[in-house]
Amino acid sequence: MIKACVIGWPISHSRSPLIHGYWLRQLGIDGSYTRQPVEPASLSKFINELGTAGYAGCNVTIPHKEAVFELVAGADASTERLGAVNTVYLRDGKVLGTNTDGEGFINSLRQGAPDLKLANQRAVILGAGGASLAVVNAILEQGVTEVAVANRTREKAEMLRHRFGSRVTPIDWVETADQLGECCLLVNTTSLGMKGQPALELDLSRLGKHAVVTDIVYTPLRTRLLEDAAARGNRVVEGLGMLLHQAVRGFSLWFGVTPQVTEELYELVARDIDPDFRR
Ligand SMILES: NC(=O)c1ccc[n+]([C@@H]2O[C@H](COP(=O)([O-])OP(=O)(O)OC[C@H]3O[C@@H](n4cnc5c(N)ncnc54)[C@H](OP(=O)(O)O)[C@@H]3O)[C@@H](O)[C@H]2O)c1
């Protein structure tokens, strides 16, 4: 039996077992995927002994993504740029790390807005935290000319420019609404709008009608930003898609089969978030 898990501290909230458990059943694979609470003091021991404990690999979530990057024996170039790992796997006895958040974001966007062209366009990103890093990196890899980043703490947006270069333009949080013209994509990567957090208040009146709006917050499944954008006719992509798509490569690395993000999987996880969910 092939074993994988998700580690974090705490970890009880993670929906990854629901996703990987669905694929294991659907594909008839003799495998398991469990939640493992790992406190920071035990992290290096857990990663070093992953293979001995019988795991093919693991997902990594808050607060361990940066620490695990430092612990793995190697990572690909895109993950090196981020300095954060969300997927660990074993190859030739070595513990390797990668980050699938960016491709999860892009593949979800491609599924929800297939004709969106990012090359030579401008995107506006709200937030400059851990998730923003992966999203900004992924959008830059798609060939945009500019990623304007608005963050409450402006220095963190400035840090993204230092990290990724001059195509990242920090903008003032209070000026976000004025910066929405001529962008093809607006993304919320802040925790605003998440259940239990303050609302995201943003005037969308300057946003072009063809712009796509997406929110990586997925509790609720449709945030107010998405409701507001949809009400004025913009195309919207929900954040749950990113969570599902980021899981694909890890599953393939551990269990040897590339799974599909199906409508059935979306509904399974959506109903776990909101029992009243209906398409
Ligand atoms: N869909 C997915 O697969 C996926 C993946 C990862 C994360 N997420 C979601 O993305 C969100 C952010 O996660 P993260 O890991 O990036 O968190 P993080 O590193 O803690 O960053 C939080 C971000 O939200 C901003 N923020 C928080 N409170 C704010 C407020 N009151 N006003 C204005 N800005 C505020 C922070 O701004 P400051 O820098 O000024 O503090 C920062 O930019 C969470 O809701 C998480 O669940 C979704």
Side-chain angles (χ1 to χ4, degrees), residues 220-244:
L221 294 161
R222 269 216 166 193
T223 58
R224 191 172 127 201
L225 172 69
L226 297 185
E227 296 285 10
D228 289 353
R232 62 191 296 283
N234 290 95
R235 258 180 318 162
V236 301
V237 178
E238 293 155 1
L240 179 55
M242 175 177 170
L243 180 74
L244 304 180

Side-chain angles (χ1 to χ4, degrees), residues 62 65 101 127-132 151-153 156 173 189-192 194 197-198 216-218 239-240 242-243 246:
I62 292 168
K65 289 184 178 185
D101 279 337
S132 169
N151 196 52
R152 174 181 61 175
T153 313
K156 278 165 73 179
W173 180 249
T189 75
T190 75
S191 45
L192 292 176
M194 191 179 169
Q197 298 291 318
I216 73 165
V217 169
Y218 56 86
L240 179 55
M242 175 177 170
L243 180 74
Q246 64 75 33

Side-chain angles (χ1 to χ4, degrees), residues 116-188:
L116 171 68
K117 304 262 181 300
L118 288 171
N120 304 315
Q121 302 289 318
R122 177 172 186 269
V124 175
I125 313 295
L126 313 177
S132 169
L133 224 65
V135 168
V136 168
N137 187 41
I139 292 175
L140 288 171
E141 286 176 351
Q142 298 297 308
V144 292
T145 41
E146 185 192 3
V147 179
V149 179
N151 196 52
R152 174 181 61 175
T153 313
R154 190 183 160 109
E155 297 77 58
K156 278 165 73 179
E158 307 275 1
M159 278 163 62
L160 287 187
R161 185 181 173 90
H162 287 305
R163 188 183 278 259
F164 295 121
S166 58
R167 282 190 293 155
V168 174
T169 319
I171 56 178
D172 281 336
W173 180 249
V174 289
E175 286 170 13
T176 311
D178 299 332
Q179 294 284 338
L180 295 181
E182 305 193 359
C183 80
C184 71
L185 176 67
L186 169 65
V187 189
N188 175 43

